[in-house]
Amino acid sequence: MTARILDGNALAAEVRAQLAEKAAALKATQGVTPCLAVILVGEDPASQVYVRNKVAACEKAGFRSIKEVYPPNVEPVEVLAKIAQLNADPSVHGILVQLPLPKQFDADAVLEAISPEKDVDGFHAENVGALMQGNPRFIPCTPYGVMKMLESGNVPLKGAEAVIVGRSNIVGKPMAMLLLAQSCTVTVCHSQSKDLAFHTKRADILVAAVGRARMITGDMIKPGATVIDVGINRTPEGKLCGDVDFESAKEVAGLITPVPGGVGPMTITMLLANTLESAERTLK
Ligand code: NDP
């Protein structure tokens, strides 16, 4: 058996076209252009690429974007002052601070400084709590993108065994909440889990969010399972690869996401979706 591929690029293009249409309508009828402000501190090359991609995606969808770049040794108070200014600006609908931040920063304090109404990453404690209560304001973009992919693949969720490998605040934990809200039976594995394969082999839906190249191999997958690979890793040859060993996994899985071209493009897409939703909310 060879798995059906869940094409993140194609789905992202479709959803982004819908978002661009909605943004154009909002501008035409209400005079409001959705606007995302992105703050980048330091010179981490991966962060620079992510920020560039986010700004480019905004422009392509007809959103406005603001990019604030600070040197690695900037005083946190300066960045906090910028966040306060963006919080107070009614033309800005979404604010995100690209992580990781340099050592002198308390990342939690920075995330808490963003107005929960503009926290399009969904990392503010108030928004994390709202998600936990089943009443989300902003769903964190990567797990949100995964849910859209499951929906587009018509993957049955009710009663399904879902296993998530990784328990980070930005992927694993919110992913667990979203799948639980859809009545999956959820298991969350992490670095201290015993016998990882025992858990992964039970999964109807397996989400890998670890950051270890090709660690999930075909023999760890239940035949016919849906396998979502969130991981982004570089091989020694400099190529991108996921946490799933795609070649062996695709022979066992029923549905699988590739890397690149899987979850990655959906993450930025859902950032646009959250920014548009935030802009629409200001009119209610
Ligand atoms: P973190 O490093 O924050 O979390 C990794 C998780 O994996 C931790 O919970 C850790 O466990 C767990 N883990 C580590 N080793 C093992 C192991 N041997 N067995 C089982 N679990 C293990 O990473 P993120 O959640 O931020 O990101 C995960 C991956 O997803 C990365 O490759 C990242 O680049 C990628 N990513 C991709 C995005 C996209 O758009 N496609 C967006 C965000 C992230 P413990 O808690 O015990 O340490």
Side-chain angles (χ1 to χ4, degrees):
M1 183 169 65
T2 301
R4 192 154 60 90
I5 310 284
L6 257 178
D7 183 344
N9 281 329
L11 181 61
E14 188 186 318
V15 178
R16 286 187 203 193
Q18 291 162 2
L19 294 171
E21 251 177 54
K22 284 188 186 163
L26 198 66
K27 193 173 178 183
T29 59
Q30 310 285 340
V32 173
T33 303
C35 174
L36 173 70
V38 185
I39 295 176
L40 171 65
V41 184
E43 288 152 1
D44 176 57
S47 292
Q48 286 174 334
V49 172
Y50 293 141
V51 166
R52 204 183 311 133
N53 290 346
K54 286 168 188 177
V55 168
C58 278
E59 278 167 18
K60 203 162 173 217
F63 290 30
R64 192 161 75 87
S65 66
I66 297 169
K67 184 171 144 187
E68 299 287 349
V69 182
Y70 293 93
N73 59 353
V74 66
E75 286 296 330
V77 68
E78 203 180 315
V79 176
L80 290 169
K82 176 53 72 178
I83 292 174
Q85 188 199 326
L86 294 166
N87 281 342
D89 182 343
S91 75
V92 173
H93 307 105
I95 302 169
L96 80 79
V97 176
Q98 187 65 44
L99 299 176
L101 286 165
K103 282 194 200 79
Q104 72 272 26
F105 280 84
D106 172 351
D108 287 340
V110 172
L111 296 179
E112 297 307 300
I114 297 171
S115 162
E117 278 81 23
K118 298 187 180 187
D119 168 40
V120 283
D121 260 342
F123 296 162
H124 191 288
E126 193 177 310
N127 290 329
V128 174
L131 176 68
M132 180 115 183
Q133 288 178 327
N135 190 22
R137 186 195 268 128
F138 291 114
I139 300 173
C141 304
T142 301
Y144 195 2
V146 171
M147 294 308 286
K148 284 278 166 204
M149 294 184 94
L150 293 173
E151 188 187 315
S152 85
N154 295 313
V155 177
L157 300 179
K158 210 173 174 180
E161 287 287 339
V163 175
I164 301 157
V165 190
R167 58 174 165 179
S168 70
N169 288 339
I170 64 168
V171 189
K173 282 184 199 162
M175 192 72 251
M177 285 303 132
L178 292 172
L179 290 168
L180 195 57
Q182 295 305 315
S183 299
C184 292
T185 303
V186 179
T187 303
V188 182
C189 299
H190 46 77
S191 68
Q192 305 307 309
S193 297
K194 290 181 184 137
D195 197 353
L196 184 62
F198 165 79
H199 296 287
T200 58
K201 267 192 222 164
R202 290 189 302 107
D204 300 311
I205 299 166
L206 177 60
V207 181
V210 180
R212 288 179 146 231
R214 299 175 180 145
M215 72 169 283
I216 307 284
T217 45
D219 57 341
M220 297 168 74
I221 294 169
K222 178 176 170 179
T226 297
V227 178
I228 306 286
D229 191 354
V230 178
I232 301 176
N233 310 290
R234 286 228 175 251
T235 64
E237 304 81 50
K239 277 190 167 176
L240 279 189
C241 78
D243 291 343
V244 175
D245 177 41
F246 188 79
E247 287 310 313
S248 63
K250 78 174 185 342
E251 300 305 322
V252 187
L255 203 56
I256 190 165
T257 64
V259 177
V263 176
M266 285 307 292
T267 294
I268 296 188
T269 304
M270 302 328 288
L271 177 65
L272 297 178
N274 280 346
T275 304
L276 176 70
E277 198 170 324
S278 181
E280 286 171 345
R281 277 186 204 144
T282 61
L283 301 166
K284 284 178 187 160

